[in-house]
Amino acid sequence: MTRVFALFAALAFAGGVWAQNLAPDQLVQKITDEILAAIKSDKQLAAGDKQKAVKLAEEKVLPYVDFEQATRLAVGRAWREATPEQKKRLVSEFRNMLVRTYSNAISTYEGQTLKVLPSRGKQDPEETVVRTQFVRAGGQPLPIDFTMHQKDGTWKVFDITVEGVSLVMTYRSEFDAIVKQKGIDGLIQALATKNIPAAAVGGSAGGGGAKSDKAGPKAEKKSPQ
């Protein structure tokens, strides 16, 4: 499930300066087209080159993900108790973990695509949900929601929901259990340990040599924030 989340994010959030002038649904559609074109035009990347997948994730995905907001929601109540230094380390390690997951997802791309659906009703100028469908050959389309908000002059994603399953809520249940047992520093250490294989190969954000998570954290239905 974690890899599925990551592939959707990788497909939808790569871009350039032009993205600042686009509506969120237009941004998702245009970026999806460009990231798929990049994968299809690079034989090594299409064949699963991890180093190139990490580079693509760093250059194309990260600018359109609000890692601080995603981390805050995933950590939950413990975030309010964390010191500024602990928050900084939590964001860094959570970012490394997601980059590793994104790069693994990119390297296993097999022709899937993303269809952006029409928006419903009046859109909030500061926060919105972009509805899409994940289209696979021979399979039923999967509904995907990208929760986005305005930050630094552009739209950024901070949560992804697949068939009612929220990425940040999925991680929250895992993180809550760790914090209860080992505290905030224990969570930081757990994330850092998980990122060690990735950091050894993938540079500052980790990624290229990481072993993919065989089973992500147990998913749970998204609850009201």
Side-chain angles (χ1 to χ4, degrees), residues 86-101:
Q86 286 175 324
K87 290 178 180 178
K88 181 178 179 181
R89 293 186 62 193
L90 283 167
V91 172
S92 177
E93 296 298 345
F94 191 55
R95 174 188 182 277
N96 288 347
M97 183 179 68
L98 291 183
V99 170
R100 174 167 53 87
T101 308

Side-chain angles (χ1 to χ4, degrees), residues 14 39 42 83 95 104 148 159 186 193 198 200 220:
I39 295 174
D42 191 316
T83 67
R95 174 188 182 277
N104 286 337
M148 307 172 68
D159 194 15
T193 299
E220 62 182 46

Side-chain angles (χ1 to χ4, degrees), residues 11-14 18 22-36 113-117 130-132:
L11 289 178
F13 294 97
W18 48 263
L22 295 179
D25 55 345
Q26 295 173 326
L27 174 62
V28 170
Q29 185 64 70
K30 186 170 180 62
I31 289 172
T32 298
D33 294 340
E34 295 216 349
I35 194 70
L36 292 180
T113 189
L114 209 66
K115 177 183 179 181
V116 178
L117 303 178
V130 176
R131 300 183 306 118
T132 71

Side-chain angles (χ1 to χ4, degrees), residues 107-124:
S107 68
T108 57
Y109 170 75
E110 295 179 345
Q112 308 94 328
T113 189
L114 209 66
K115 177 183 179 181
V116 178
L117 303 178
S119 59
R120 293 174 175 172
K122 186 177 180 180
Q123 295 296 298
D124 189 311

Side-chain angles (χ1 to χ4, degrees), residues 84-211:
E85 179 60 27
Q86 286 175 324
K87 290 178 180 178
K88 181 178 179 181
R89 293 186 62 193
L90 283 167
V91 172
S92 177
E93 296 298 345
F94 191 55
R95 174 188 182 277
N96 288 347
M97 183 179 68
L98 291 183
V99 170
R100 174 167 53 87
T101 308
Y102 292 165
S103 62
N104 286 337
I106 290 171
S107 68
T108 57
Y109 170 75
E110 295 179 345
Q112 308 94 328
T113 189
L114 209 66
K115 177 183 179 181
V116 178
L117 303 178
S119 59
R120 293 174 175 172
K122 186 177 180 180
Q123 295 296 298
D124 189 311
E126 298 298 326
E127 184 173 321
T128 191
V129 175
V130 176
R131 300 183 306 118
T132 71
Q133 288 183 336
F134 184 62
V135 182
R136 304 164 295 170
Q140 289 292 324
L142 293 176
I144 316 299
D145 292 343
F146 292 92
T147 305
M148 307 172 68
H149 67 174
Q150 281 276 1
K151 184 175 182 180
D152 301 329
T154 191
W155 288 96
K156 294 193 177 186
V157 63
F158 61 88
D159 194 15
I160 304 169
T161 303
V162 181
E163 292 190 307
V165 181
S166 160
L167 173 64
V168 296
M169 293 304 296
T170 294
Y171 279 115
R172 181 181 291 185
S173 61
E174 179 186 14
F175 292 175
D176 279 348
I178 296 174
V179 170
K180 287 178 181 177
Q181 292 182 351
K182 302 180 179 179
I184 296 173
D185 285 336
L187 174 59
I188 294 170
Q189 183 58 49
L191 291 173
T193 299
K194 183 177 290 189
N195 288 326
I196 286 174
V201 176
S204 61
K211 296 180 181 178

